[in-house]
Amino acid sequence: MSAAGSGGDAPKKAFPHVDLEGHDLPPSPAPSSPHAGRRYNIATELVYTEGSDQYNASSVPIYQSATFKQTSGGGGGEYDYTRSGNPTRTHLERHLAKIMSAQRALVVSSGMAALDVITRMLRPGDEVVTGDDLYGGTHRLLKYLSTNGGIIVHHVDTTVPEKVREVLTSKTAMVLLETPTNPLIKIVDIPQIATAAHEANPNCVVSVDNTMMSPLLLNPLELGADIVYESGTKYLSGHHDLMAGVIAVNDAGLGDKLYFTINSSGCGLSPFDSWLLMRGVKTLKVRMDQQQTNAQRIADFLETHGFKVRYPGLRSHPQYELHHSMARGSGAVLSFETGDVGVSERIVESAKLWAISVSFGCVNSLISMPCRMSHASIDAKTRAERAMPEDLIRLCVGIEDVDDLIDDLQRALVQAGAVNVTLDDFQANPSS
Ligand code: PLP
C-alpha cells in the first residue's frame, strides 16, 4: 500500500492497524476478525464480519472510486489509488486471509493472474517442477515462460513423490502442485513433496493451486506449502458471475513481494468484483456440502453401472487414504471414461440439466470433455504422453436435486448407447 498509485518515491505510510494476531495489515472498513480474538468454526467465520462502517452497513460498501482525496500535500490518506489499494478489496483480502488460515491474502483479476503474479518471482535459469496433469491454462503459462522467459520447467507425475525427488535440485526455485489434479483426479502428497523441495533448496517456493478443494476442504499452508492460490471464479464465488484469483501466504516478505507485482502490473481485483466475491464466499459451506453429497451419489451411480470413475470419495480411488489424510472432503468434480469418444460426445450433448461448459465450482452442474475443451490448449501428442483419455467426461456437480441430476444423466447414457438397456429397464431397476 505504501507504494502509492502514483508510484515513485511516495512517502511510506504507516498502517497502525495491527490486527488481533499482530499482523500489520492494510486498513479495512470492516476488520473481518472476531472481536474477542476467538476463532470460530469455518461455517461461522465464512459469514462473520465486524464493521466500523459509519452507517453500520451489514454488507461491505463498494468503494467504486479510482482515487481517494488526501488530507495534505504529502498524502496522509489510508488509500490513494485503487490499483494500489481499495477498501472493498482490503476487506475481502482480510476476510479470505482469516478463512485460508493465512497471514495475508491478495486478490487479483483471475486465477491465471494469480499464477502470473506468483511466477514473476522466477528468474531466467530458474527451474520449476510441476505436474503432468495440470489445468490447461497453467500448462500454457508455463510453456510461455519456458519459451520466452528462460525458465526450465520439469513436468513429472507429482502423484509419485520419487519422480519429483529425481528432478529436485538446488536450482529448483518453485514447485507447483495441484491436487486433486484436473481432470484425472490424481492426488498429490503435499507434505512429502514440500519437505523434499525445501531439503533440495531451502528457498524453493512450494505453491499449491487449491481451486478444486477450496479452503473449506484443504489448507495447503498447513501442510508445508509457502503459497496457496485459487481461482476465485470457482467455488469461492460459486455463481460464475465473476473472474477472480486469490493468493495466500504466511510469510510477510513473500506477501510484500507479491503485492509489489500486483501494484506494479495493476491486476488487483476491482471493487465491484471484490464485493461480489465477498458475497459469494459467505455461502461456500452450504454450497460445497450439497455439491459433495450430490457428487458422491453420482460417482456411486456411475461406478455401479460399470464406468471407470475417478473421484476421491470412492473407496476404489487408488489414493483414497492419501487424499483423506490431507483433506476434509472429496470435492465435487469427478471424471469417468466410456471407452469411446463418440459415445462420450453423445452423452455430453444429450444431457439437459448438465450444461456443456468449461469451469467448475458453480451452483449448477456442468459437463465437459476436457480434451476438447478446458485442456485443448495441451497438444494431442502431449495429452497422449500424459495418458489423458480422449473419451474422458468431467462432471462438475452443482446443488440441484440429486435425483433430477441422476435421472438426466441416465437418460443421456441410454440415448448415447453407453449402457445396454432401455430407459424403462433403467428406471425399473436403476442400480442394475
Ligand atoms: N486453476 C485451476 C485448477 C483451474 O481449473 C482454473 C480455471 O479453470 C484456473 C486455475 C484458472 O483460473 P481462472 O479461470 O480464474 O483464471
Side-chain angles (χ1 to χ4, degrees):
M1 306 287 293
S2 55
S6 43
D9 301 320
K12 212 172 165 34
K13 285 182 230 130
F15 291 119
H17 297 258
V18 175
D19 75 1
L20 293 161
E21 284 160 9
H23 307 138
D24 187 7
L25 295 172
S28 162
S32 198
S33 317
H35 205 47
R38 177 172 163 198
R39 233 181 147 66
Y40 296 97
N41 291 318
I42 189 147
T44 310
E45 294 286 10
L46 281 166
V47 294
Y48 182 66
T49 57
E50 284 181 355
S52 54
D53 173 68
Q54 59 182 322
Y55 300 114
N56 290 326
S58 173
S59 158
V60 64
I62 307 172
Y63 286 86
Q64 191 66 34
S65 181
T67 62
F68 297 83
K69 291 178 191 168
Q70 302 301 296
T71 51
S72 75
E78 287 182 328
Y79 292 90
D80 64 354
Y81 195 56
T82 280
R83 171 158 48 71
S84 306
N86 176 284
T88 313
R89 188 193 302 150
T90 307
H91 180 74
L92 170 67
E93 288 178 340
R94 297 188 58 157
H95 192 67
L96 288 169
K98 183 182 70 166
I99 284 148
M100 297 169 93
S101 302
Q103 208 257 5
R104 187 166 186 187
L106 297 155
V107 289
V108 293
S109 56
S110 70
M112 288 318 301
L115 185 60
D116 180 45
V117 167
I118 295 164
T119 52
R120 282 185 197 226
M121 290 195 296
L122 298 167
R123 298 281 163 271
D126 279 351
E127 299 196 6
V128 174
V129 174
T130 191
D132 59 1
D133 178 29
L134 292 173
Y135 167 59
T138 301
H139 184 270
R140 180 171 46 206
L141 181 59
L142 293 174
K143 180 97 185 146
Y144 175 85
L145 290 172
S146 67
T147 313
N148 300 285
I151 311 293
I152 299 137
V153 182
H154 301 278
H155 289 280
V156 295
D157 184 352
T158 43
T159 62
V160 184
E162 295 70 45
K163 296 240 161 104
V164 177
R165 272 201 204 92
E166 278 168 19
V167 288
L168 285 173
T169 69
S170 58
K171 286 191 187 154
T172 310
M174 189 172 286
V175 170
L176 192 56
L177 305 173
E178 268 180 44
T179 188
T181 65
N182 174 19
L184 297 182
I185 320 291
K186 296 194 285 182
I187 312 301
V188 170
D189 189 333
I190 299 173
Q192 220 189 118
I193 294 180
T195 305
H198 292 136
E199 273 167 17
N201 174 10
N203 296 322
C204 175
V205 177
V206 177
S207 307
V208 177
D209 180 340
N210 196 37
T211 308
M212 289 276 268
M213 288 281 97
S214 88
L216 188 74
L217 303 183
L218 187 69
N219 291 100
L221 292 178
E222 290 171 0
L223 299 175
D226 302 295
I227 299 183
V228 56
Y229 73 100
E230 303 199 10
S231 165
T233 319
K234 311 293 190 303
Y235 291 108
L236 288 175
S237 57
H239 295 75
H240 279 174
D241 49 12
L242 66 97
M243 303 286 305
V246 181
I247 311 172
V249 292
N250 272 329
D251 182 279
L254 207 47
D256 287 346
K257 265 191 201 166
L258 296 164
Y259 168 73
F260 180 87
T261 305
I262 294 168
N263 187 30
S264 307
S265 65
C267 63
L269 194 62
S270 74
F272 183 65
D273 286 339
S274 297
W275 179 83
L276 266 182
L277 181 51
M278 183 69 205
R279 183 172 74 157
V281 81
K282 291 185 180 179
T283 54
L284 174 64
K285 175 136 176 36
V286 281
R287 284 185 281 108
M288 187 58 113
D289 281 354
Q290 182 66 38
Q291 284 171 283
Q292 283 194 109
T293 308
N294 288 356
Q296 186 69 49
R297 278 273 310 275
I298 287 159
D300 290 339
F301 163 80
L302 287 168
E303 192 167 61
T304 310
H305 287 91
F307 294 99
K308 180 174 177 196
V309 186
R310 299 161 193 257
Y311 182 59
L314 291 175
R315 283 267 167 200
S316 57
H317 192 294
Q319 295 164 300
Y320 178 91
E321 303 292 344
L322 174 62
H323 177 80
H324 293 279
S325 72
M326 299 187 293
R328 294 178 289 274
S330 309
V333 178
L334 57 113
S335 57
F336 70 103
E337 289 164 51
T338 65
D340 185 301
V341 179
V343 168
S344 294
E345 273 172 359
R346 288 200 294 279
I347 294 171
V348 167
E349 283 161 15
S350 306
K352 295 263 177 311
L353 278 180
W354 299 80
I356 306 175
S357 173
V358 293
S359 201
F360 56 88
C362 184
V363 284
N364 52 289
S365 294
L366 310 175
I367 191 166
S368 67
M369 289 182 70
C371 292
R372 301 280 163 95
M373 299 168 70
S374 52
H375 293 64
S377 58
I378 303 173
D379 62 79
K381 183 169 160 283
T382 311
R383 289 201 303 265
E385 279 163 13
R386 295 185 188 166
M388 279 180 67
E390 296 286 319
D391 62 314
L392 196 74
I393 295 180
R394 189 179 76 175
L395 297 178
C396 306
V397 184
I399 65 170
E400 301 92 336
D401 183 288
V402 70
D403 291 327
D404 286 338
L405 289 175
I406 291 177
D407 179 67
D408 195 57
L409 195 54
Q410 73 186 21
R411 275 169 201 279
L413 294 173
V414 172
Q415 272 175 29
V419 285
N420 223 359
V421 287
T422 66
L423 204 49
D424 287 344
D425 297 338
F426 222 146
Q427 281 165 344
N429 190 4
S431 58
S432 63

